């Protein structure tokens, strides 16, 4: 089954993969040489792909340093997509580099989600007040349910409706990666959803500051609107800092409150996947079932609890935040390298419609919520 980012095979004897493959189409594969020890090539290890992910991360860091308005994670996704399509790296990303890039997109994403928990303190979140908590819950519920419903009505393939709904309602690419892991989603669905959410979140960095004063919001209200309506944490920071420190503080707190909802959502998805026999590593009848709550979600909750105790020094928290940024960037390079734009274009109109509608929902509901709770 070809991944997004891989070129279609010229011949196959397998069933179609949902992207145009035909059963039994094309030539038959060449017969393997007879004999007890037929020659074979060793499967490539993860190191080449991990090296490319590390190089992409370093380049994303450099882009962010040169252009502070471009979040490092956004640059990482774009560079990953570019690596899948440039003549010099495209064949590598779909061939010998694929194992390491896939490893980065999965395992490093889990580690980044765990470290994200150190950004959250329950005391800070509850300090915003129950009205804000209710507003955030309403925004997440409305965005998630509305996007999921519309995605299914549009007939999007696989888990794309679920993944896009998660990314828009919780915390962008990190949430998509976490839910994709718990669900056992196809890497192509994950990559396409990450690409869409990253694109819309990047546009929000430009569009939302232009609407600050026309919508009649003061700095604190604008910060809460950005925190409730923008997808990724880095994108929230980039958009909110245009209105000053007060807006940035409100935006980050509201955003982290949304992030806190990642754990129960992933746990619910994991339970549903196990009941349907779709969880990764299930192994079928008699196979070992995974834990109902994925280990990285438990790690996320443990990190939140640790931060809440106040026992972690400020220097350690800053170091963990820096490590998290680099780990997530490497994961997003891996996910971005799985995007195949010609394939994505075949469902691009429906995916774009879903993204635009979901963006309107999350921005509109969060704006109303901010005005009602001001």
């Amino acid at each position: 089954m070809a991944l997004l980012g891989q070129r279609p095979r010229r011949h196959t004897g397998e069933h179609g993969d949902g992207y145009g493959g035909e059963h039994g189409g094309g030539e038959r594969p060449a017969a393997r040489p007879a004999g007890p020890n037929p020659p074979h090539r060793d499967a490539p290890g993860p190191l080449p792909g991990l090296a490319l992910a590390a190089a992409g991360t370093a380049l994303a860091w450099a882009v962010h340093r040169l252009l502070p308005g471009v979040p490092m994670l956004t640059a990482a996704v774009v560079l990953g997509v570019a690596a899948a399509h440039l003549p010099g790296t495209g064949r590598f990303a779909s061939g010998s580099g694929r194992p390491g890039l896939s490893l980065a997109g999965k395992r490093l994403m889990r580690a980044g989600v765990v470290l994200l928990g150190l950004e959250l303190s329950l005391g800070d979140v509850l300090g915003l007040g129950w009205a804000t908590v209710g507003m955030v819950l309403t925004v997440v519920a409305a965005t998630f349910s509305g996007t999921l419903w519309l995605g299914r009505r549009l007939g999007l393939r696989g888990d794309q409706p679920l993944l896009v709904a998660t990314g828009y309602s919780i915390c962008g690419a990190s949430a998509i990666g976490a839910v994709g892991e718990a669900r056992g989603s196809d890497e192509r669905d994950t990559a396409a959803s990450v690409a869409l959410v990253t694109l819309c979140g990047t546009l929000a960095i430009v569009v939302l500051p232009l609407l600050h004063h026309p919508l009649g919001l003061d700095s604190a209200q604008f910060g809460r609107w950005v925190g409730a309506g923008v997808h990724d944490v880095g994108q929230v920071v980039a958009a909110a800092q245009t209105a000053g420190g007060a807006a940035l503080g409100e935006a980050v707190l509201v955003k982290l409150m949304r992030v806190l909802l990642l754990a129960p959502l992933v746990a619910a998805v994991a339970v549903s996947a196990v009941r349907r026999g779709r969880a990764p590593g299930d192994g079928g009848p008699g196979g070992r079932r995974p834990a109902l709550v994925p280990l990285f979600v438990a790690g996320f909750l443990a990190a939140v609890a640790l931060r809440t105790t106040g026992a972690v020094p400020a220097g350690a928290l800053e170091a963990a935040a820096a490590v998290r940024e680099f780990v997530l960037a490497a994961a997003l390079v891996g996910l971005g390298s799985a995007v195949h734009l010609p394939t994505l274009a075949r469902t691009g109109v429906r995916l774009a419609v879903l993204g635009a509608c979901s963006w309107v929902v999350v921005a509109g509901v969060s704006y109303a919520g901010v005005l009602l709770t001001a």
Side-chain angles (χ1 to χ4, degrees):
M1 182 180 292
L3 295 175
L4 284 172
Q6 289 182 320
R7 293 173 175 82
R9 298 172 180 170
R10 290 187 177 180
H11 50 75
T12 179
E14 300 175 354
H15 292 279
D17 64 0
Y19 279 111
E22 297 291 331
H23 174 64
E27 304 171 12
R28 292 181 179 274
R32 293 183 179 179
N37 296 307
H40 65 280
R41 293 183 178 179
D42 292 334
L47 289 181
L50 289 175
L52 179 60
T57 301
L59 188 54
W61 175 83
V63 170
H64 175 62
R65 295 286 294 180
L66 291 173
L67 302 171
V70 179
M72 182 176 171
L73 300 187
T74 299
V77 174
V78 173
L79 290 170
V81 175
H85 295 83
L86 291 175
T89 56
R91 185 176 296 276
F92 173 79
S94 62
S96 59
R98 190 71 251 151
L101 290 168
S102 294
L103 180 66
K106 294 179 180 179
R107 300 296 176 86
L108 294 184
M109 181 63 74
R110 297 177 187 177
V113 169
V114 172
L115 291 173
L116 189 60
L118 290 175
E119 296 292 312
L120 288 163
S121 169
L122 293 178
D124 290 340
V125 171
L126 294 178
L128 289 173
W130 289 108
T132 302
V133 172
M135 182 267 287
V136 171
L137 290 173
T138 300
V139 169
V140 170
T143 304
F144 181 84
S145 59
T147 304
L148 183 62
W149 175 83
L150 180 59
R152 289 173 174 171
R153 291 295 298 269
L154 290 171
L156 290 176
R157 57 161 273 129
D159 287 338
Q160 286 181 1
L162 172 65
L163 296 173
V164 174
T166 301
Y168 272 82
S169 60
I170 304 293
C171 56
S174 303
I176 291 173
V179 168
E181 280 290 296
R183 177 78 171 174
S185 300
D186 191 305
E187 188 177 6
R188 297 167 302 175
D189 291 343
T190 303
S193 302
V194 165
L196 175 69
V197 171
T198 300
L199 173 62
C200 291
T202 302
L203 292 175
I205 297 174
V206 178
V207 174
L208 266 60
L210 297 177
L211 299 176
H212 177 187
H213 296 295
L215 291 179
L217 299 173
D218 60 30
S219 295
Q221 290 174 325
F222 176 73
R224 292 192 178 200
W225 184 46
V226 170
V230 179
H231 319 316
D232 185 81
V233 176
Q235 294 162 348
V236 166
V237 172
Q241 56 87 27
T242 60
L248 180 58
E250 293 286 332
V252 170
L253 282 178
V254 172
K255 178 61 191 176
L256 292 180
M257 190 184 302
R258 288 169 64 194
V259 173
L260 189 61
L261 298 176
L262 176 63
L265 176 60
V266 172
V269 169
V271 171
S272 174
V274 169
R275 288 178 176 175
R276 297 186 182 191
R278 283 201 50 186
D282 191 357
R288 182 176 64 86
R289 286 186 178 273
L292 292 181
V293 178
L295 183 60
F296 71 92
V297 175
F300 172 85
L301 293 174
V304 173
L306 182 61
R307 172 64 188 270
T308 302
T309 65
V312 184
L317 291 175
E318 292 178 2
V323 171
R324 184 203 74 232
E325 195 79 355
F326 280 93
V327 167
L328 286 178
L332 291 176
V333 170
L335 284 176
S337 69
V339 174
H340 186 232
L341 294 178
T343 301
L344 183 61
R346 288 199 278 272
T347 55
V349 173
R350 288 176 293 160
L351 200 60
V353 168
L354 178 62
C357 292
S358 184
W359 196 10
V360 170
V361 170
V362 69
V365 175
S366 59
Y367 176 67
V370 166
L371 293 182
L372 291 173
T373 58

